Amino acid sequence: MSGARKAVVSVPATSANVGVGYDCLGIALDLRATFTFEESDGLVIDGCLEKFRGEDNLAWTSYLEACRRMYREPRPMHLTIDSPIPLSGGLGSSSTCVVAGVVAAQLLNGDGFDPQAALNVATFLEGHPDNVAPAIMGGLVSSFSDGRDTRSLRFDVADGISFVAIAPPYEVRTADARKVMPESVSTETCVWQVGHAVATVQALQSGDCDLLAAACQDRLHEPFRARLIPDYEPLRRTALAAGAAAFLISGSGSTMLAVCDGDEGARRVANAVNNMVENHIDGLWVRVLGCSPKGVTFEV
Ligand SMILES: Nc1ncnc2c1ncn2[C@@H]1O[C@H](COP(=O)(O)OP(=O)(O)O)[C@@H](O)[C@H]1O
Ligand SMILES: N[C@@H](CCOP(=O)(O)O)C(=O)O
């Protein structure tokens, strides 16, 4: 197709919840997926697994929904996906698809990038704002939503904070991990979560790892979800013994996140979990990552 319009959209992986901020807090990480949308005579999807190449591809369906909401006629696209994000879950791979589709629709079929509109549609499509908000805005983001409008506050993460993302070679589906949540919680638990969530945000902003270690103690979802990750306990023990300030289930798992004081500390933790002898895990995916101050970026 000559003169075909094209958008290349780059979206960071995200770690949602940050322990105590269930469905509210999320961090953008410096690991990015790239989605190339190019006008075409028919729908073509490549670069991803065969099972994601159909009309139900999440980036494509998100593109269509964003067009529908803008009252614009979608055009067929050739979509190429290049994603290093593991499919075992917990690093916001689905949010990269949703955000890419929505932003590409705004760029190619709408009036240009509109971050607030993208945040509202992406939250609706994903069902919670804690991945899509940092995927759009970068940094550490705290959000709340009334189901129509999402309000998101962005904070910088201190330079000294490094992360180790640890993905075991098995999947935990977000939908399944949401089913194990308690239906109701006590006032005591609510008080615990609010106080610890505010302190976690402050600790990550200031780089205070002692405060982080005390603050990152979730009682709302991790105790129930840890059971879905057979290697959670040995990995947690090993990471903390190697010096991690906090150890979290990233999103709904199965990926876990160790939060460390500096890159050197993070590398020590990465080596320790990679070299576990007693509970060695074949096929463990381990990366030392920083926070990405940038959210979605694009070229048209
Ligand atoms: N590289 C990819 N290409 C196509 N679709 C993808 C890709 N990565 C993720 N997805 C979509 O996102 C879904 C994973 O969502 P989910 O289980 O919530 O994982 P995560 O926790 O990483 O977001 C997949 O089933 C697929 O629909
Ligand atoms: N708040 C959600 C986050 C899910 O993140 P994902 O990366 O696992 O999709 C939850 O905890 O269910």
Side-chain angles (χ1 to χ4, degrees):
M1 218 180 162
S2 65
R5 293 188 67 218
K6 175 171 152 180
V8 182
V9 185
S10 161
V11 191
T14 47
S15 182
N17 301 328
V18 199
V20 286
Y22 179 75
D23 273 3
C24 307
L25 290 180
I27 297 176
L29 298 169
D30 58 6
L31 178 73
R32 305 183 75 93
T34 304
F35 298 76
T36 304
F37 290 78
E38 186 165 19
E39 281 175 9
S40 157
D41 293 330
L43 177 66
V44 181
I45 300 173
D46 54 30
C48 57
L49 295 179
E50 189 63 42
K51 66 175 176 180
F52 297 136
R53 293 189 189 181
E55 285 185 5
D56 59 349
N57 175 283
L58 189 54
W60 174 242
T61 56
S62 303
Y63 176 88
L64 293 180
E65 176 61 17
C67 287
R68 193 188 68 75
R69 286 173 176 240
M70 294 185 296
Y71 305 103
R72 302 288 165 95
E73 196 56 42
R75 299 169 193 173
M77 291 281 158
H78 179 176
L79 166 59
T80 305
I81 301 177
D82 179 8
S83 177
I85 304 173
L87 287 166
S88 41
L91 286 175
S93 69
S94 56
S95 287
T96 64
C97 297
V98 169
V99 168
V102 170
V103 172
Q106 291 185 338
L107 296 171
L108 295 174
N109 281 39
D111 301 323
F113 181 44
D114 176 343
Q116 183 59 50
L119 187 59
N120 290 343
V121 186
T123 301
F124 169 79
L125 290 171
E126 183 74 354
H128 44 86
D130 45 338
N131 291 106
V132 296
I136 292 170
M137 300 166 78
L140 164 67
V141 181
S142 177
S143 305
F144 58 91
S145 179
D146 62 9
R148 218 170 61 97
D149 288 313
T150 300
R151 304 286 293 263
S152 294
L153 306 177
R154 185 193 175 288
F155 306 90
D156 284 320
V157 169
D159 284 342
I161 298 282
S162 291
F163 303 93
V164 186
I166 305 161
Y170 43 81
E171 187 183 358
V172 170
R173 293 168 62 93
T174 304
D176 295 336
R178 291 181 83 83
K179 284 188 198 138
V180 304
M181 296 284 297
E183 273 179 22
S184 58
V185 294
S186 65
T187 306
E188 195 188 344
T189 301
C190 296
V191 173
W192 175 276
Q193 295 294 130
V194 173
H196 285 70
V198 173
T200 293
V201 171
Q202 167 66 17
L204 287 168
Q205 273 188 282
S206 63
D208 182 341
C209 283
D210 289 337
L211 178 60
L212 190 70
C216 257
Q217 304 288 341
D218 176 74
R219 288 187 176 176
L220 184 58
H221 65 111
E222 291 194 346
F224 308 96
R225 289 173 157 184
R227 297 176 205 145
L228 304 178
I229 308 171
D231 298 297
Y232 172 83
E233 208 36 63
L235 285 167
R236 178 175 175 278
R237 263 199 320 272
T238 304
L240 293 177
F247 186 82
L248 319 167
I249 296 177
S250 184
S252 62
S254 62
T255 303
M256 289 150 277
L257 196 71
V259 191
C260 303
D261 195 356
D263 251 18
E264 209 178 299
R267 278 194 293 274
R268 242 191 334 269
V269 169
N271 280 338
V273 295
N274 266 325
N275 295 318
M276 291 194 312
V277 177
E278 199 182 330
N279 296 289
H280 182 77
I281 304 159
D282 279 331
L284 197 63
W285 181 98
V286 181
R287 294 286 183 287
V288 172
L289 299 170
C291 170
S292 170
K294 273 204 176 126
V296 63
T297 59
F298 50 82
E299 281 171 38
V300 192

